Amino acid sequence: MTFTRYAIYYAPPADAEWSRFAASWLGWDMETGTYLPHPDIAGLGIGAFTEAPRKYGLHATMKPPMRLAEGHTQAALEAACKTFASSQKPVGLDGLHLARLGRFLALRPTGDEAALNSLAANCVTEFDMFRAPPPAADLDRRRAAGLTPEQDENLTRWGYPYVLSHFRFHITLTGKLPKPELPAVEAALNEHLIPLLPAPFVIRDLALVGEATDGRFHVIHRYALSG
């Protein structure tokens, strides 16, 4: 399969009950590259409000999507991921909780995030040699949303504004919701997903993922954190 961009994700384990439900909620399985039927929850048009995040799959971004720089290959990136993962320790947190990020719903970690933030920062910096500069249109689009000076500096240096001190680990579950619909969607997730969430929550591996020509993301390989 040909990929146009690559990213490093935390991709929840495919065999866990909570992640099977959450992947079905989004409607896309990155492991198998197949669409999934949404849960049948009366009164909710899940397909509509998960359309935007569906193509990315169930994940938390650690190194944002990037085009490969000239002279670099997927094979070299895979080798770098293997080496990197062998130097990093698993990260443990108390658990996960449902959070509102503006009008989006996502899972956020509970507990001390210092080690998690350090792992994400290492992903951003260590793999930046593989990143081609983003097109000017991408930079303009990001800036049009309104950035702080530090976020703009991150965009210029790292190709994405919300990294390093502006990083917040999150597993996206919806697109931007109309305010009147937020409570019902939140209630459905609290009923069906939250009781399944792990406690503690441990990140044991990272996934190298690729964006196919149709815009869908696929898991290329998982790398155990074995440092």
Side-chain angles (χ1 to χ4, degrees):
M1 185 177 293
T2 301
F3 297 114
T4 58
R5 294 190 299 169
Y6 298 86
I8 297 173
Y9 282 175
Y10 165 68
D15 59 352
E17 186 178 6
W18 75 272
S19 53
R20 290 199 304 269
F21 177 89
S24 179
W25 173 272
L26 289 180
W28 176 249
D29 185 340
M30 288 193 298
E31 296 279 353
T32 61
T34 56
Y35 291 96
L36 298 172
H38 299 296
D40 184 10
I41 301 175
L44 288 187
I46 297 174
F49 59 71
T50 58
E51 181 179 2
R54 183 173 306 125
K55 72 173 188 175
Y56 297 99
L58 184 67
H59 79 287
T61 301
M62 304 298 278
K63 175 68 174 176
M66 61 184 179
R67 295 169 180 84
L68 283 184
E70 186 176 352
H72 291 284
T73 64
Q74 179 180 320
L77 179 56
E78 290 181 33
C81 286
K82 181 178 180 180
T83 299
F84 175 81
S86 71
S87 70
Q88 304 293 312
K89 297 178 181 179
V91 174
L93 295 115
D94 295 343
L96 292 166
H97 67 275
L98 185 64
R100 291 188 184 187
L101 304 180
R103 285 158 53 190
F104 298 81
L105 293 176
L107 296 176
R108 288 270 297 131
T110 301
D112 185 354
E113 297 179 49
L116 175 57
N117 292 339
S118 178
L119 176 63
N122 290 342
C123 287
V124 168
T125 59
E126 292 295 321
F127 291 99
D128 207 58
M129 69 179 71
F130 291 95
R131 180 181 62 85
D138 286 2
L139 299 177
D140 292 342
R141 177 173 55 84
R142 293 287 181 191
R143 289 181 171 124
L147 300 176
T148 68
E150 188 175 1
Q151 289 167 349
D152 193 273
E153 184 178 343
N154 284 339
L155 179 65
T156 301
R157 174 63 185 86
W158 305 108
Y160 194 73
Y162 309 111
V163 295
L164 305 181
S165 63
H166 289 269
F167 171 77
R168 280 198 296 172
F169 180 95
H170 61 281
I171 300 173
T172 302
L173 296 174
T174 72
K176 191 174 184 179
L177 291 162
K179 286 184 179 180
E181 295 182 19
L182 264 168
V185 179
E186 201 168 37
L189 287 167
N190 276 319
E191 178 181 355
H192 295 281
L193 175 58
I194 300 308
L196 306 177
L197 294 179
F201 167 59
V202 182
I203 295 177
R204 294 184 172 87
D205 61 30
L206 295 176
L208 174 64
V209 300
E211 182 184 22
T213 53
D214 65 356
R216 305 286 170 188
F217 279 76
H218 301 253
V219 171
I220 298 171
H221 193 78
R222 290 178 179 267
Y223 300 89
L225 302 177
S226 57

